[in-house]
Amino acid sequence: MTEITFDDFLKVDVRVGEVIRAEPYPEARKPAIKLWIDFGGDIGEKKTSAQITTHYQPETLVGKQVMAVVNFPPRQIGKFMSEVLVLGLPDESGEIRLIGPDGAVPLGGRMH
């Protein structure tokens, strides 16, 4: 495990957003879903893709609040530009479960 300082941690900007659109991403090397996430306020709408097809279908993701790192530089994922990194944890099989608040919170709220 690599140690970081508290100042290093503060540089990672993790915010809550709401999935407003989701589509299959069949062109991806591994099965994935394209997500458009509204972070409200100054951040607005950002897009990403995630390998979450085992536990999620695009239609079940719309309206879901998720946590994401919003201050990474954009990254090309195949033909799709990813602007944020949604956060998740692997289940017993290594398949990702998304992280989000356990109740509705205002969009754009920063993780403390």
Side-chain angles (χ1 to χ4, degrees):
M1 178 172 64
T2 303
E3 288 188 11
I4 64 171
T5 67
F6 188 70
D7 287 339
D8 291 333
F9 173 74
L10 291 176
K11 293 176 187 176
V12 181
D13 193 354
V14 178
R15 303 284 182 127
V16 65
E18 182 178 322
V19 178
I20 57 173
R21 183 172 147 204
E23 298 176 358
Y25 188 16
E27 304 88 4
R29 276 185 276 140
K30 293 183 180 179
I33 297 174
K34 295 178 187 177
L35 302 171
W36 286 261
I37 304 168
D38 180 10
F39 292 94
D42 296 334
I43 299 169
E45 182 181 322
K46 299 288 183 179
K47 61 186 178 179
T48 191
S49 67
Q51 296 172 358
I52 55 174
T53 57
T54 297
H55 295 300
Y56 304 97
Q57 297 298 316
E59 59 274 8
T60 65
L61 289 165
V62 174
K64 183 173 184 60
Q65 287 193 323
V66 296
M67 301 301 294
V69 177
V70 298
N71 64 333
F72 283 139
R75 182 175 177 201
Q76 191 75 38
I77 308 293
K79 295 180 180 182
F80 192 73
M81 185 62 72
S82 180
E83 300 172 308
V84 297
L85 175 67
V86 291
L87 300 177
L89 294 167
D91 65 12
E92 305 82 27
S93 303
E95 300 296 334
I96 300 300
R97 295 270 185 180
L98 295 172
I99 296 173
D102 64 359
V105 297
L107 298 182
R110 186 168 184 176
M111 185 182 75
H112 290 269

